[in-house]
Amino acid sequence: MKRETVVVLDFGGQYNQLIARRVRECGVYCEIYSYRTDLEKIKERNPKGIIFTGGPNSCYEAGAPTYTREIFNLGIPVLGICYGAQLMMHLLGGKVEKAPVREYGKIEVNTDASSKIFGDVSPKTICWMSHNDYISQLAPGFRASAFTDNCPYAAMEDESRDLYALQFHPEVLHTQEGKKMLSNFVYKVCGCAGDWKMDSFVEETIQAIRKKVGSGRALCALSGGVDSSVAAVLMSKAIGSQLTCVFVDHGLLRKKEGDEVEAVFGPSGPYDLNFIRVNAQERFYEKLKGVEEPEQKRKIIGEEFIRVFEEEAKKIGAVDFLVQGTIYPDVVESGVGGESTVIKSHHNVGGLPDYVDFKEIIEPLRDLFKDEVRQAGLELGIPDYLGFRQPFPGPGLGIRIIGEITAEKVKMVQDADAIWREEIAAAGWDKKVNQYFAALTNMKSVGVMGDERTYDYAIALRAVTTTDFMTAESAEIPWEVIGKATSRIVNEVKHVNRVLYDCTGKPPATIEFE
Ligand code: XMP
């Protein structure tokens, strides 16, 4: 697939993915590469523009991430952001040193409207700054195009060479007109036409899958989550009944979830595919008996999932392709794309089956960010409740039952969670919070029901707002909503006599309880 591409060269900044997402939001496809990537490889991508990210280092220190100066001579526009801006100046003969005043936070920047980057941007605009070093002298040929009280060169450019640099971060939302600036870069400087559109992506991907799979067969593990659902629908539209989806119900799904997945993907649903549901609840509960340690539970659930999947695959026999719902952040975080080495190992439940007989892996969503997966889902007409559902961890309720998992506890947390979700939705809060669920604490306490003393479990309710799930705030759900859910839970869920609301943010807590 030929499409115009902007390359983000990652110098270890925390916002590398955000830059790529913002560029894509402008309608231009964007990929992230580590600064260790060879110039030849970058040239092969034939980019319309290159963006240098921020990073934690000082560019003048020995061993700091750098790049060959040749990149500025390719005739491809380059935009440096924060560290990227400093590095550009440093490499081209300017001067970077420790700033007399560190700038951090939202800062008013005075922009020069004659710069292509600042076309249609206000003359005074709030931008997000975060730097200890500053550019004290411009490289030859550059002129300043923005300044702040403490920073004479908040932006600079050499228009004749299409080189631009911003000391602040246009990619974060705190920079009020940042998106406009990035859009100016890709359209006015790089001359992009904006050919990254979801409808054409979906159509092209379906064609490409058809061509690749031919008359072969493909196998897909379906969890009912957004990624695997969208991957399955794309595959089904491309190859119909040459696709088999295996859905493993590990008994740790939300209430009625297994049936919901079956209603959509099973024989009475709208899609042409072979659907196999494996009810493996008992098997998982057996393996998890007596296990209390969260990471061990995750491991057991992930491994058992693979074993069940393998057994089903064996029954089907050899297939040509194994479908994986990998998305672009997985690719970047696994170190293939950018500079980030953080892998949330526990988030990649499953991994690859060892004993499935297939020739090749097919990853139809490999190029997409999460929000793009949802858009693709919309294009494909998957039901809203599948495309826009809140995240649900692979190990499911297994990490929402503190301590040992039993079938009885699963039922308790399922029922309480269903009530909490109903009440949140009834109050219209489902659109305002990003994740909300019930967890079963391992705490038993004394209560009184009628005239009787009880000694039962406490349910914890959680609702958080977050944009990236790396940090989160506990949501201020109105008391009456919590109150109604509380009385329903203690009345309707057996062996629960107490309900707690978790007021903790992340950090210091995590979103899940385990
Ligand atoms: P935490 O609890 O780490 O959660 O604040 C952040 C986000 O990640 C999800 N999460 C998981 N997802 N497997 C998953 O697939 C896991 O083991 C796992 N643990 C946490 C969590 O639901 C939240 O959205």
Side-chain angles (χ1 to χ4, degrees), residues 295 298 344-349 390-396 399-400 434-435 437 462 464 466 468-472 506 509-514:
E295 287 307 305
R298 279 192 169 85
K344 293 171 240 155
S345 64
H346 63 265
H347 288 190
N348 305 331
V349 172
Q390 52 166 326
F392 186 62
I399 54 167
R400 292 182 182 170
N434 305 99
Q435 198 169 1
F437 56 85
R462 186 111 171 99
V464 297
T466 172
D468 55 9
F469 296 89
M470 315 262 267
T471 61
K506 172 185 178 177
T510 52
I511 296 175
E512 301 289 349
F513 283 68
E514 287 196 332

Short mmCIF file of all heavy atoms in Angstrom, two decimals, residues 295 298 344-349 390-396 399-400 434-435 437 462 464 466 468-472 506 509-514, ligand 1:
data_model
loop_
_atom_site.label_atom_id
_atom_site.label_comp_id
_atom_site.label_asym_id
_atom_site.label_seq_id
_atom_site.Cartn_x
_atom_site.Cartn_y
_atom_site.Cartn_z
N GLU A 295 0.53 -11.98 39.95
CA GLU A 295 1.30 -12.27 38.73
C GLU A 295 1.21 -13.74 38.36
O GLU A 295 1.19 -14.11 37.20
CB GLU A 295 2.76 -11.84 38.88
CG GLU A 295 2.96 -10.33 38.85
CD GLU A 295 2.33 -9.66 37.62
OE1 GLU A 295 2.64 -10.07 36.50
OE2 GLU A 295 1.52 -8.73 37.80
N ARG A 298 -2.07 -14.28 36.64
CA ARG A 298 -1.98 -13.82 35.25
C ARG A 298 -1.29 -14.87 34.37
O ARG A 298 -1.72 -15.17 33.28
CB ARG A 298 -1.14 -12.55 35.17
CG ARG A 298 -1.88 -11.31 35.51
CD ARG A 298 -1.05 -10.09 35.11
NE ARG A 298 -1.84 -8.89 35.20
CZ ARG A 298 -2.01 -8.19 36.32
NH1 ARG A 298 -1.45 -8.58 37.44
NH2 ARG A 298 -2.75 -7.09 36.31
N LYS A 344 4.86 -3.75 29.08
CA LYS A 344 4.02 -4.16 30.20
C LYS A 344 3.75 -5.63 29.99
O LYS A 344 2.79 -6.00 29.35
CB LYS A 344 2.74 -3.34 30.21
CG LYS A 344 3.01 -1.89 30.52
CD LYS A 344 1.77 -1.06 30.33
CE LYS A 344 2.03 -0.01 29.28
NZ LYS A 344 0.84 0.44 28.62
N SER A 345 4.67 -6.44 30.47
CA SER A 345 4.62 -7.87 30.17
C SER A 345 3.27 -8.44 30.53
O SER A 345 2.68 -9.19 29.77
CB SER A 345 5.71 -8.60 30.94
OG SER A 345 5.44 -8.47 32.31
N HIS A 346 2.73 -8.01 31.66
CA HIS A 346 1.48 -8.62 32.11
C HIS A 346 0.31 -8.21 31.24
O HIS A 346 -0.77 -8.74 31.37
CB HIS A 346 1.21 -8.31 33.57
CG HIS A 346 1.02 -6.85 33.87
ND1 HIS A 346 2.05 -6.06 34.29
CD2 HIS A 346 -0.06 -6.06 33.80
CE1 HIS A 346 1.59 -4.83 34.49
NE2 HIS A 346 0.33 -4.80 34.19
N HIS A 347 0.51 -7.22 30.38
CA HIS A 347 -0.60 -6.82 29.52
C HIS A 347 -0.70 -7.70 28.28
O HIS A 347 -1.70 -7.72 27.60
CB HIS A 347 -0.44 -5.36 29.09
CG HIS A 347 -0.72 -4.42 30.22
ND1 HIS A 347 -0.85 -3.08 30.06
CD2 HIS A 347 -0.90 -4.66 31.53
CE1 HIS A 347 -1.08 -2.52 31.24
NE2 HIS A 347 -1.10 -3.46 32.13
N ASN A 348 0.41 -8.39 27.98
CA ASN A 348 0.36 -9.21 26.77
C ASN A 348 -0.01 -10.63 27.13
O ASN A 348 0.79 -11.53 27.06
CB ASN A 348 1.71 -9.20 26.07
CG ASN A 348 2.15 -7.79 25.79
OD1 ASN A 348 1.32 -6.91 25.62
ND2 ASN A 348 3.43 -7.57 25.77
N VAL A 349 -1.21 -10.78 27.56
CA VAL A 349 -1.65 -12.10 27.97
C VAL A 349 -1.67 -13.00 26.74
O VAL A 349 -2.09 -12.58 25.67
CB VAL A 349 -3.05 -12.03 28.58
CG1 VAL A 349 -3.59 -13.42 28.82
CG2 VAL A 349 -2.98 -11.25 29.86
N GLN A 390 -15.31 -0.33 27.30
CA GLN A 390 -14.16 0.06 28.11
C GLN A 390 -13.14 -1.08 28.09
O GLN A 390 -13.48 -2.21 27.79
CB GLN A 390 -14.62 0.38 29.51
CG GLN A 390 -15.47 -0.72 30.14
CD GLN A 390 -15.64 -0.53 31.64
OE1 GLN A 390 -14.75 -0.05 32.32
NE2 GLN A 390 -16.78 -0.92 32.15
N PRO A 391 -11.88 -0.75 28.41
CA PRO A 391 -10.88 -1.82 28.39
C PRO A 391 -11.23 -2.90 29.41
O PRO A 391 -11.76 -2.61 30.48
CB PRO A 391 -9.59 -1.12 28.80
CG PRO A 391 -9.90 0.30 29.04
CD PRO A 391 -11.34 0.55 28.81
N PHE A 392 -10.93 -4.12 29.04
CA PHE A 392 -11.13 -5.24 29.97
C PHE A 392 -9.87 -6.08 29.92
O PHE A 392 -9.43 -6.48 28.84
CB PHE A 392 -12.36 -6.05 29.53
CG PHE A 392 -12.73 -7.14 30.49
CD1 PHE A 392 -13.11 -6.82 31.79
CD2 PHE A 392 -12.69 -8.47 30.11
CE1 PHE A 392 -13.45 -7.83 32.70
CE2 PHE A 392 -13.03 -9.48 31.01
CZ PHE A 392 -13.41 -9.16 32.31
N PRO A 393 -9.25 -6.32 31.06
CA PRO A 393 -7.94 -7.01 31.03
C PRO A 393 -8.06 -8.44 30.54
O PRO A 393 -9.08 -9.10 30.78
CB PRO A 393 -7.49 -6.97 32.49
CG PRO A 393 -8.73 -6.74 33.29
CD PRO A 393 -9.68 -5.97 32.42
N GLY A 394 -7.03 -8.91 29.88
CA GLY A 394 -7.00 -10.30 29.40
C GLY A 394 -7.32 -11.31 30.50
O GLY A 394 -8.14 -12.21 30.28
N PRO A 395 -6.70 -11.19 31.69
CA PRO A 395 -7.00 -12.16 32.75
C PRO A 395 -8.38 -11.93 33.38
O PRO A 395 -8.76 -12.64 34.31
CB PRO A 395 -5.92 -11.92 33.79
CG PRO A 395 -4.95 -10.99 33.18
CD PRO A 395 -5.61 -10.28 32.07
N GLY A 396 -9.09 -10.94 32.88
CA GLY A 396 -10.48 -10.73 33.25
C GLY A 396 -10.70 -10.54 34.74
O GLY A 396 -9.90 -9.92 35.44
N ILE A 399 -8.18 -10.85 38.02
CA ILE A 399 -7.40 -9.86 38.77
C ILE A 399 -8.30 -8.84 39.47
O ILE A 399 -7.85 -7.83 39.98
CB ILE A 399 -6.34 -9.16 37.88
CG1 ILE A 399 -6.98 -8.55 36.64
CG2 ILE A 399 -5.24 -10.14 37.50
CD1 ILE A 399 -6.06 -7.59 35.90
N ARG A 400 -9.61 -9.14 39.45
CA ARG A 400 -10.54 -8.30 40.22
C ARG A 400 -11.12 -9.06 41.40
O ARG A 400 -12.06 -8.61 42.04
CB ARG A 400 -11.67 -7.81 39.30
CG ARG A 400 -11.14 -6.84 38.26
CD ARG A 400 -12.19 -6.29 37.36
NE ARG A 400 -11.56 -5.43 36.38
CZ ARG A 400 -12.20 -4.94 35.32
NH1 ARG A 400 -13.47 -5.23 35.12
NH2 ARG A 400 -11.56 -4.16 34.47
N ASN A 434 -13.73 6.57 32.01
CA ASN A 434 -13.06 5.74 31.01
C ASN A 434 -13.00 4.27 31.38
O ASN A 434 -12.86 3.41 30.53
CB ASN A 434 -11.65 6.27 30.76
CG ASN A 434 -11.68 7.72 30.37
OD1 ASN A 434 -11.46 8.60 31.20
ND2 ASN A 434 -12.01 7.98 29.12
N GLN A 435 -13.08 3.98 32.68
CA GLN A 435 -13.11 2.58 33.08
C GLN A 435 -13.82 2.49 34.42
O GLN A 435 -13.58 3.31 35.31
CB GLN A 435 -11.68 2.00 33.17
CG GLN A 435 -11.67 0.50 33.15
CD GLN A 435 -10.27 -0.10 32.97
OE1 GLN A 435 -9.27 0.61 32.87
NE2 GLN A 435 -10.20 -1.42 32.93
N PHE A 437 -15.70 -0.53 37.22
CA PHE A 437 -15.96 -1.95 37.47
C PHE A 437 -16.07 -2.20 38.97
O PHE A 437 -15.78 -1.32 39.77
CB PHE A 437 -14.83 -2.80 36.88
CG PHE A 437 -13.46 -2.43 37.39
CD1 PHE A 437 -12.96 -2.96 38.57
CD2 PHE A 437 -12.66 -1.52 36.68
CE1 PHE A 437 -11.71 -2.60 39.04
CE2 PHE A 437 -11.41 -1.17 37.16
CZ PHE A 437 -10.93 -1.71 38.33
N ARG A 462 -15.09 0.89 41.51
CA ARG A 462 -14.03 1.76 40.98
C ARG A 462 -14.57 2.45 39.73
O ARG A 462 -15.33 1.84 38.95
CB ARG A 462 -12.83 0.88 40.59
CG ARG A 462 -11.59 1.69 40.15
CD ARG A 462 -10.53 1.54 41.17
NE ARG A 462 -9.21 2.06 40.87
CZ ARG A 462 -8.76 3.24 41.29
NH1 ARG A 462 -9.55 4.09 41.92
NH2 ARG A 462 -7.51 3.59 41.07
N VAL A 464 -12.79 5.47 36.99
CA VAL A 464 -11.68 6.41 36.80
C VAL A 464 -11.82 7.18 35.49
O VAL A 464 -12.41 6.70 34.53
CB VAL A 464 -10.30 5.70 36.81
CG1 VAL A 464 -10.02 5.05 38.15
CG2 VAL A 464 -10.18 4.69 35.69
N THR A 466 -9.32 8.95 32.67
CA THR A 466 -7.92 8.90 32.24
C THR A 466 -7.88 9.09 30.73
O THR A 466 -8.87 8.85 30.04
CB THR A 466 -7.28 7.54 32.60
OG1 THR A 466 -5.99 7.45 31.99
CG2 THR A 466 -8.12 6.36 32.13
N ASP A 468 -4.75 8.07 29.10
CA ASP A 468 -3.79 7.08 28.60
C ASP A 468 -3.68 5.84 29.48
O ASP A 468 -2.87 4.97 29.19
CB ASP A 468 -2.42 7.75 28.45
CG ASP A 468 -1.98 8.40 29.76
OD1 ASP A 468 -2.64 8.18 30.80
OD2 ASP A 468 -0.97 9.11 29.76
N PHE A 469 -4.42 5.77 30.55
CA PHE A 469 -4.41 4.63 31.47
C PHE A 469 -3.07 4.48 32.22
O PHE A 469 -2.89 3.55 32.97
CB PHE A 469 -4.80 3.32 30.76
CG PHE A 469 -6.22 3.38 30.25
CD1 PHE A 469 -6.50 3.88 28.98
CD2 PHE A 469 -7.27 2.99 31.07
CE1 PHE A 469 -7.80 3.98 28.53
CE2 PHE A 469 -8.58 3.08 30.62
CZ PHE A 469 -8.85 3.57 29.35
N MET A 470 -2.16 5.42 31.98
CA MET A 470 -0.89 5.38 32.71
C MET A 470 -1.05 6.16 34.01
O MET A 470 -0.42 5.86 35.02
CB MET A 470 0.23 6.04 31.90
CG MET A 470 0.25 5.61 30.46
SD MET A 470 1.43 4.34 30.20
CE MET A 470 2.80 5.35 29.75
N THR A 471 -1.87 7.22 33.96
CA THR A 471 -2.25 7.92 35.17
C THR A 471 -3.77 8.01 35.12
O THR A 471 -4.36 7.94 34.04
CB THR A 471 -1.68 9.35 35.23
OG1 THR A 471 -2.19 10.07 34.11
CG2 THR A 471 -0.17 9.37 35.18
N ALA A 472 -4.39 8.15 36.26
CA ALA A 472 -5.85 8.20 36.28
C ALA A 472 -6.33 8.90 37.54
O ALA A 472 -5.62 8.94 38.55
CB ALA A 472 -6.43 6.78 36.23
N LYS A 506 -4.29 7.04 40.27
CA LYS A 506 -3.10 6.28 39.84
C LYS A 506 -2.07 7.29 39.33
O LYS A 506 -2.39 7.98 38.37
CB LYS A 506 -3.46 5.31 38.74
CG LYS A 506 -2.22 4.63 38.09
CD LYS A 506 -2.59 3.77 36.93
CE LYS A 506 -1.34 3.18 36.31
NZ LYS A 506 -1.64 2.28 35.21
N ALA A 509 -2.24 4.37 43.46
CA ALA A 509 -2.83 3.04 43.24
C ALA A 509 -2.67 2.69 41.77
O ALA A 509 -2.16 3.48 40.97
CB ALA A 509 -4.29 3.05 43.64
N THR A 510 -3.13 1.51 41.37
CA THR A 510 -3.26 1.21 39.94
C THR A 510 -4.76 1.20 39.66
O THR A 510 -5.56 1.31 40.59
CB THR A 510 -2.64 -0.15 39.58
OG1 THR A 510 -3.19 -1.13 40.47
CG2 THR A 510 -1.14 -0.13 39.70
N ILE A 511 -5.12 1.06 38.40
CA ILE A 511 -6.54 1.04 38.09
C ILE A 511 -7.16 -0.27 38.58
O ILE A 511 -8.14 -0.27 39.32
CB ILE A 511 -6.77 1.25 36.58
CG1 ILE A 511 -6.29 2.64 36.19
CG2 ILE A 511 -8.26 1.07 36.25
CD1 ILE A 511 -6.33 2.96 34.71
N GLU A 512 -6.55 -1.37 38.18
CA GLU A 512 -7.01 -2.67 38.68
C GLU A 512 -6.52 -2.84 40.12
O GLU A 512 -5.61 -2.16 40.56
CB GLU A 512 -6.46 -3.80 37.80
CG GLU A 512 -6.85 -3.70 36.34
CD GLU A 512 -8.31 -3.99 36.07
OE1 GLU A 512 -9.00 -4.47 36.99
OE2 GLU A 512 -8.77 -3.72 34.95
N PHE A 513 -7.12 -3.84 40.81
CA PHE A 513 -6.71 -4.06 42.20
C PHE A 513 -5.51 -5.00 42.30
O PHE A 513 -4.90 -5.11 43.34
CB PHE A 513 -7.89 -4.61 43.01
CG PHE A 513 -8.87 -3.52 43.36
CD1 PHE A 513 -9.61 -2.90 42.38
CD2 PHE A 513 -9.00 -3.10 44.67
CE1 PHE A 513 -10.48 -1.87 42.69
CE2 PHE A 513 -9.88 -2.08 45.00
CZ PHE A 513 -10.61 -1.47 44.01
N GLU A 514 -5.24 -5.70 41.23
CA GLU A 514 -4.09 -6.62 41.27
C GLU A 514 -3.20 -6.38 40.08
O GLU A 514 -3.65 -5.89 39.05
CB GLU A 514 -4.57 -8.07 41.28
CG GLU A 514 -5.18 -8.47 42.61
CD GLU A 514 -5.28 -9.99 42.74
OE1 GLU A 514 -5.38 -10.66 41.71
OE2 GLU A 514 -5.24 -10.47 43.86
P1 XMP B 1 -3.34 -0.78 35.89
O1 XMP B 1 -4.07 -1.68 36.85
O2 XMP B 1 -1.96 -1.26 35.57
O3 XMP B 1 -4.16 -0.86 34.52
O4 XMP B 1 -3.39 0.65 36.32
C1 XMP B 1 -3.96 -0.03 33.43
C2 XMP B 1 -4.82 -0.54 32.31
O5 XMP B 1 -4.35 -1.83 31.89
C3 XMP B 1 -5.35 -2.81 32.08
N1 XMP B 1 -4.69 -4.01 32.61
C4 XMP B 1 -4.51 -5.16 31.93
N2 XMP B 1 -4.85 -5.48 30.66
N3 XMP B 1 -3.90 -7.63 30.99
C5 XMP B 1 -4.56 -6.74 30.21
O6 XMP B 1 -4.89 -7.09 29.07
C6 XMP B 1 -3.53 -7.37 32.26
O7 XMP B 1 -2.94 -8.21 32.94
C7 XMP B 1 -3.85 -6.05 32.75
N4 XMP B 1 -3.63 -5.42 33.94
C8 XMP B 1 -4.16 -4.18 33.83
C9 XMP B 1 -6.34 -2.22 33.06
O8 XMP B 1 -7.65 -2.78 32.90
C10 XMP B 1 -6.28 -0.76 32.71
O9 XMP B 1 -7.10 -0.45 31.60
#
